[in-house]
Amino acid sequence: MPAWEPGVAASCGWRAPPCSPLRLCIAPHPCTPPSSHQGNLTCRLPPRSFGFCRCVWVRTRGPSLPGEQVSLAAHESEGAAAQLGSSPEIDPRRPRCLLPESAQIPQISYASTAPDLSDNSRYDFFSRVVPSDTYQAQAMVDIVRALKWNYVSTVASEGSYGESGVEAFIQKSREDGGVCIAQSVKIPREPKAGEFDKIIRRLLETSNARAVIIFANEDDIRRVLEAARRANQTGHFFWMGSDSWGSKIAPVLHLEEVAEGAVTILPKRMSVRDRERIGQDSAYEQEGKVQFVIDAVYAMGHALHAMHRDLCPGRVGLCPRMDPVDGTQLLKYIRNVNFSGIAGNPVTFNENGDAPGRYDIYQYQLRNDSAEYKVIGSWTDHLHLRIERMHWPGSGQQLPRSICSLPCQPGERKKTVKGMPCCWHCEPCTGYQYQVDRYTCKTCPYDMRPTENRTGCRPIPIIKLEWGSPWAVLPLFLAVVGIAATLFVVITFVRYNDTPIVKASGRELSYVLLAGIFLCYATTFLMIAEPDLGTCSLRRIFLGLGMSISYAALLTKTNRIYRIFEQGKRSVSAPRFISPASQLAITFSLISLQLLGICVWFVVDPSHSVVDFQDQRTLDPRFARGVLKCDISDLSLICLLGYSMLLMVTCTVYAIKTRGVPETFNEAKPIGFTMYTTCIVWLAFIPIFFGTSQSADKLYIQTTTLTVSVSLSASVSLGMLYMPKVYIILFHPEQNVPKRKRSLKAVVTAATMSNKFTQKGNFRPNGEAKSELCENLEAPALATKQTYVTYTNHAI
C-alpha cells in the first residue's frame, strides 16, 4: 500500500487531517480552504503547520452545476503542483480550467473526451482517465460495419464535442473504408423555431441512409426525436448515440417508440457505493463519473508517491528536490502509472496522455410494454457485439438496412458515384461481356459466350448442316433423283450405243456431258457432308468441275454447229477441228483450265475446315453459333464458279447464233432452251445467295441455294437434251431408223460440199460425215450407199 491515503473534510470548516507522509484532503463545493478567495484556488496554510506533512486538497462542484471541477495541489508555497479537472458548462467534453502550457503544470481530467486534447504539441501536460472520443468514434464505426451499414448520416451539436466527435467518426470511416456519409447536419447553439423539423427533412433527402450517428447533448437529442415523431418517421431512423446519450432516461422520456432500437455507447463504469461516505437515508444519486474522479485522484497520488520515492528516498515529507515540484518530472511519473482502478480495470496513459478505450454498448429496447437499455456488447480495442441480443422495431432480429445502393446482381458491374464510394449504379454486362469483378465487364474470347448469369464464359455451340436437317431434304432429294436419272440415261445410251439416235447425238461428247451432270448431282453430298480436310478438298475440285465439264461439252457442240454452217455460207470446204477426236480435245482443254485454277488455289491456300464464329454472332449471345465449314469464302466461291459461268454465257451466245439452223440437222434449239433456262436459274441464285449473307441461317440458306441451283441446271440439261432421246429409244423404236428429212438449205450446202465429205465418209465407221450434213442428191448414189440423217432434236 502507498504511504498515503485520501481524506475528506466533512464540513466547511477546514480541518487538518492526521499527519502522514502524504494525505489527499477532499473538500466539496462551495467550501474552500480558509484564507482562500472565490476563483483563486490557493491553499494558504502555514508552511510549518504540519511539519514534513503535505496537504493535497481537492475541490469539487456540487450537483447544482452541470459540470464538475476538481483541483489538486500540493503546497509548500502558493504554487500548484498539479490539477484535476472536468468539463465546463458550455462544452461538456473540454476542461474548464485548462492551464496554459507555459505553466508546465500536469493536469488529469476525469470527463474531458475531446479528440483534440490528444495533440501533444498543444496539450503536452494534459492527461485523462476517460477515453478520448477518437476511441468512441472507432467503436461506432466498428458497430456500423458489423451491422452491415455503409450509408449513414451524422447529427452534431455545435461546439467542440459534437463537431470533433463527428469529425473523428468521419475520419475513422474513411480510414477503414466501406462507410459513406450521406448527410452531416449541425445543430446550432441557439436553434430557431422549426430548426429540428428542418433537420429531419434534410435527413429524409437521403432516405436510404436510415442510420443516424448523433454527437449531441441531451436537449438536442430529445428535440431531434420529437421532430422525427412530428414528421411521422417513427421506426424509419435507426439512431446511434454517443456517450452523451449513453443509458440516460431523460432524452427518451415519453419518446420510447421513436427511440426504439437506438444503439448507444458509454465508457465502462461502475458504481462505488461501498466507497461512499454518505448517510443511508440520503436521496443523493451517484453521478456516473465518480469512478473516473476516484481514478484521477489515485493516478495523481500514485505519481506523487513514485516521484517522492525516487527523489526523496528514506525521507519523511518533501526533500529539496521536490520543493517545489517540477511539473515536467511529475508528468513523466503520471504517464508511467499503472494500477488497478476502482472498477478493477487497469489505469494507464499512452504517450498522448489518453486512457485506453473501454466501452459498453447498449440498445434501447421495448419489450412487453417496458423500455430498457440492454447491454449488447463491448469495445476494448476491438468490437464484441452480440447481434442475436439486438431487437429492431418492425423486423425483430433481422438487421435493418442502411445502404446507399442495393448489391448488384450477378452479371452486373458497379459504376461508383463520384465522391461516394458506397453509392453506385448497377450496369449489366451486355452483349458478349461477362463480369470479371465487381467493377469490370470483359468481352468473352471470340469462340465463347457468357453464361446465363454472365459470371463467366462458355464455349459457343458449333453447328453444321446435318443430313436430317429440313434444309438438306430438298437438295438430297434432287440429287438422288438426278443421279438415278443420269445413270438411267447412261445405261440406256450404252445399251443402244449403235442406234442412229445415239450415234447422231455425238456419243463422245454426250458421255462427257453426262459425266458432268453426274458430278453436279454428286456435289450435293459433298456440300452437306461434315467439313474436314478431305471433304473440303473434294468440294474445291468438284463444285466447279462438274459444271465446267457440262458447259465445256455444250460449248464445243454449239461452236461446232456454228462453225460448220458459217463455213458453208462462204465456201464448200469443211471447217477445221470438227471430228470427234478434235471435239474431245477442245472439251478437255476447256476443262483443264478449271483444273489448273484449282491446283493453283491448292498451292496458294491449302484446303482446311474452319469454325466461323462471325457468321452467326447474333446480338443476343444465347443464339450465337459457330459454323463448321470449309475455308471457301464468298469471293473464292465466285472465282470457283466464275469460269463455269463464263462457259455457260459463251455457250448461250452460240446457241443464240445457231437458233436459225433447221432442227432437222442439229440440237441448236434444245441447247438454246437449256442455256436460257440455266441462265434464269443462276440469275435467281445470285441475289438469294449473296442477299442472305447477314442472315442467322446463312449456312443453311446458302448451302441449300447453291446445291439446288447446281442440281436444277444439271436437271435442265438432262431433261431437255436426253430425255426425248431416251423416250424415242425406249417407247418409239420405230423412229430410231435412218430417214431422209432434209431442208432446202441443207441440200444446197450438201451439194457444194458433197465431193469432199463423200470421200471422207467412207473412212468413218458411223458415217458421221454424211449424216451430219446431207445425202448425195444423185439417185445412183442413194441406191448403192446407206446414209443416216438427223432427226428432230438430234445433234450433229
Side-chain angles (χ1 to χ4, degrees):
M1 292 292 294
W4 58 272
E5 58 179 290
V8 176
S11 65
C12 290
W14 188 258
R15 177 170 55 85
C19 189
S20 67
L22 189 63
R23 179 176 293 273
L24 302 181
C25 305
I26 302 176
H29 178 83
C31 297
T32 54
S35 305
S36 68
H37 49 81
Q38 190 71 22
N40 185 14
L41 305 182
T42 54
C43 185
R44 298 181 181 277
L45 300 176
R48 296 290 182 264
S49 296
F50 299 99
F52 59 85
C53 295
R54 282 284 182 251
C55 175
V56 180
W57 57 265
V58 177
R59 190 189 83 170
T60 63
R61 290 190 177 275
S64 60
L65 295 176
E68 297 176 355
Q69 177 173 329
V70 177
S71 295
L72 174 66
H75 297 276
E76 172 88 67
S77 62
E78 295 183 2
Q83 172 178 299
L84 272 73
S86 175
S87 49
E89 293 83 349
I90 296 177
D91 190 341
R93 290 301 176 265
R94 294 183 59 83
R96 181 181 180 185
C97 300
L98 190 62
L99 299 177
E101 295 304 309
S102 58
Q104 295 189 351
I105 297 177
Q107 306 168 73
I108 299 179
S109 172
Y110 56 82
S112 301
T113 60
D116 53 354
L117 293 174
S118 300
D119 186 358
N120 256 340
S121 63
R122 297 170 59 193
Y123 310 110
D124 52 338
F125 281 86
F126 182 81
S127 304
R128 49 188 164 188
V129 292
V130 288
S132 165
D133 284 341
T134 302
Y135 296 116
Q136 182 174 208
Q138 181 65 65
M140 297 175 81
V141 169
D142 290 347
I143 296 171
V144 167
R145 291 167 60 90
L147 296 177
K148 299 180 181 179
W149 295 342
N150 66 5
Y151 197 49
V152 300
S153 297
T154 63
V155 176
S157 293
E158 186 176 359
S160 177
Y161 170 68
E163 293 179 42
S164 60
V166 166
E167 183 181 348
F169 178 85
I170 295 174
Q171 181 180 352
K172 289 296 182 181
S173 65
R174 288 175 180 170
E175 291 174 358
D176 294 354
V179 179
C180 297
I181 307 301
Q183 299 276 359
S184 192
V185 185
K186 185 190 298 184
I187 302 174
R189 292 184 187 273
E190 298 179 0
K192 300 177 182 178
E195 186 71 34
F196 290 91
D197 295 328
K198 182 180 177 181
I199 290 173
I200 294 299
R201 287 195 298 270
R202 184 173 173 186
L203 293 177
L204 288 173
E205 291 176 2
T206 51
S207 57
N208 285 346
R210 300 179 64 186
V212 181
I213 313 300
I214 297 185
F215 278 83
N217 58 50
E218 295 179 29
D219 256 0
D220 289 345
I221 292 171
R222 182 173 182 82
R223 285 187 279 183
V224 167
L225 296 179
E226 289 173 344
R229 184 173 62 180
R230 285 194 301 271
N232 197 26
Q233 296 300 319
T234 299
H236 176 76
F237 294 108
F238 302 104
W239 313 99
M240 182 175 293
S242 62
D243 59 347
S244 62
W245 184 336
S247 58
K248 296 175 183 176
I249 300 299
V252 298
L253 188 62
H254 306 307
L255 296 169
E256 289 82 2
E257 292 183 356
V258 184
E260 183 184 4
V263 177
T264 61
I265 191 170
L266 197 62
K268 278 186 177 293
R269 60 180 63 178
M270 64 171 290
S271 297
V272 286
R273 299 187 183 280
D274 56 329
R275 301 296 182 99
E276 290 185 280
R277 301 178 183 179
I278 345 177
Q280 295 295 324
D281 300 329
S282 173
Y284 166 74
E285 182 179 348
Q286 186 180 116
E287 211 277 343
K289 295 185 178 67
V290 171
Q291 167 195 332
F292 300 112
V293 173
I294 296 174
D295 287 343
V297 173
Y298 270 78
M300 183 62 71
H302 278 282
L304 289 171
H305 176 70
M307 184 176 182
H308 181 270
R309 183 188 57 211
D310 293 342
L311 300 182
C312 305
R315 292 284 298 273
V316 177
L318 297 183
C319 62
R321 296 178 64 184
M322 287 187 66
D323 191 10
V325 175
D326 187 342
T328 303
Q329 283 186 314
L330 179 58
L331 177 65
K332 293 180 181 179
Y333 285 98
I334 292 174
R335 296 289 171 84
N336 288 328
V337 298
N338 189 347
F339 64 95
S340 181
I342 196 68
N345 299 317
V347 177
T348 59
F349 301 99
N350 62 13
E351 64 276 6
N352 297 322
D354 293 331
R358 289 183 288 265
Y359 297 93
D360 285 323
I361 303 168
Y362 299 86
Q363 187 183 37
Y364 190 66
Q365 298 181 358
L366 293 179
R367 293 289 183 88
N368 301 323
D369 297 328
S370 63
E372 64 172 338
Y373 287 97
K374 187 173 182 179
V375 177
I376 57 171
S378 62
W379 190 93
T380 306
D381 294 331
H382 55 276
L383 179 66
H384 298 277
L385 187 65
R386 300 181 64 180
I387 296 180
E388 71 278 1
R389 300 189 66 179
M390 304 182 76
H391 188 272
W392 304 96
S395 60
Q397 291 189 339
Q398 183 179 356
L399 291 179
R401 285 181 173 180
S402 182
I403 57 178
C404 181
S405 303
L406 293 174
C408 293
Q409 298 296 321
E412 296 179 339
R413 73 180 184 93
K414 292 181 180 179
K415 187 176 181 181
T416 307
V417 177
K418 187 176 181 180
M420 193 69 66
C422 302
C423 300
W424 57 80
H425 303 294
C426 294
E427 293 186 348
C429 299
T430 58
Y432 288 81
Q433 294 180 333
Y434 71 100
Q435 183 183 6
V436 180
D437 52 40
R438 290 182 297 174
Y439 304 99
T440 310
C441 290
K442 186 178 179 181
T443 303
C444 290
Y446 75 98
D447 59 341
M448 305 187 81
R449 62 179 178 175
T451 56
E452 290 296 331
N453 59 4
R454 292 184 177 271
T455 56
C457 294
R458 56 179 176 173
I460 294 177
I462 298 175
I463 62 170
K464 62 181 182 65
L465 185 57
E466 302 289 345
W467 294 102
S469 170
W471 294 94
V473 172
L474 180 60
L476 289 174
F477 175 76
L478 293 177
V480 171
V481 173
I483 289 174
T486 304
L487 293 176
F488 179 73
V489 172
V490 171
I491 293 171
T492 302
F493 267 50
V494 170
R495 183 175 180 182
Y496 298 94
N497 190 57
D498 294 328
T499 60
I501 289 181
V502 176
K503 289 180 179 181
S505 65
R507 289 176 294 183
E508 292 80 3
L509 288 182
S510 293
Y511 290 128
V512 172
L513 179 56
L514 287 170
I517 292 174
F518 177 85
L519 288 178
C520 287
Y521 286 125
T523 301
T524 298
F525 296 95
L526 293 176
M527 297 300 295
I528 297 177
E530 181 176 348
D532 55 26
L533 178 61
T535 303
C536 293
S537 300
L538 292 176
R539 282 187 190 181
R540 283 194 183 187
I541 296 171
F542 292 110
L543 181 59
L545 184 61
M547 297 178 62
S548 297
I549 293 174
S550 300
Y551 297 131
L554 288 175
L555 176 60
T556 302
K557 279 192 174 190
T558 55
N559 174 264
R560 180 170 177 256
I561 296 170
Y562 174 76
R563 288 189 297 114
I564 289 175
F565 284 95
E566 285 297 312
Q567 183 70 14
K569 294 177 183 178
R570 294 190 297 269
S571 68
V572 295
S573 61
R576 303 173 62 188
F577 309 115
I578 60 173
S579 65
S582 299
Q583 298 300 293
L584 289 175
I586 294 172
T587 301
F588 285 118
S589 297
L590 295 174
I591 296 171
S592 65
L593 293 178
Q594 174 80 19
L595 292 174
L596 178 62
I598 293 173
C599 292
V600 173
W601 189 10
F602 272 113
V603 173
V604 174
D605 183 18
S607 178
H608 60 278
S609 61
V610 295
V611 178
D612 191 344
F613 293 97
Q614 295 299 325
D615 271 359
Q616 294 197 26
R617 194 173 182 86
T618 56
L619 293 177
D620 190 341
R622 293 177 299 172
F623 304 109
R625 298 293 184 269
V627 180
L628 177 62
K629 64 179 185 178
C630 294
D631 61 328
I632 302 177
S633 64
D634 292 348
L635 179 61
S636 301
L637 183 62
I638 292 174
C639 296
L640 181 63
L641 299 177
Y643 181 67
S644 301
M645 298 293 181
L646 178 62
L647 294 177
M648 180 184 67
V649 172
T650 307
C651 184
T652 303
V653 172
Y654 277 109
I656 294 173
K657 288 184 176 183
T658 58
R659 68 187 182 279
V661 177
E663 59 184 18
T664 308
F665 293 94
N666 63 88
E667 290 179 316
K669 287 189 177 180
I671 292 176
F673 288 133
T674 300
M675 300 316 301
Y676 305 151
T677 308
T678 303
C679 287
I680 293 173
V681 170
W682 287 101
L683 285 175
F685 160 79
I686 291 174
I688 296 175
F689 186 89
F690 295 102
T692 57
S693 59
Q694 302 300 322
S695 172
D697 295 324
K698 172 184 176 182
L699 169 69
Y700 308 110
I701 296 175
Q702 291 190 341
T703 303
T704 301
T705 303
L706 179 59
T707 53
V708 168
S709 298
V710 172
S711 295
L712 286 179
S713 61
S715 299
V716 169
S717 299
L718 185 66
M720 289 190 174
L721 298 179
Y722 290 99
M723 287 306 170
K725 296 180 177 65
V726 173
Y727 178 76
I728 292 174
I729 291 172
L730 296 179
F731 300 105
H732 296 282
E734 71 277 4
Q735 296 183 16
N736 192 10
V737 294
K739 277 188 179 181
R740 272 188 245 173
K741 191 174 182 181
R742 301 164 294 150
S743 68
L744 178 61
K745 187 175 181 180
V747 172
V748 172
T749 304
T752 60
M753 303 179 66
S754 58
N755 291 334
K756 185 172 183 178
F757 280 91
T758 301
Q759 183 179 359
K760 291 184 178 181
N762 294 329
F763 298 99
R764 300 189 182 184
N766 59 356
E768 277 187 332
K770 292 181 181 179
S771 63
E772 286 169 349
L773 295 176
C774 65
E775 299 177 51
N776 199 323
L777 295 178
E778 298 180 2
L782 288 170
T784 58
K785 296 182 179 180
Q786 184 180 6
T787 60
Y788 298 92
V789 296
T790 60
Y791 288 83
T792 303
N793 297 329
H794 290 187
I796 292 176

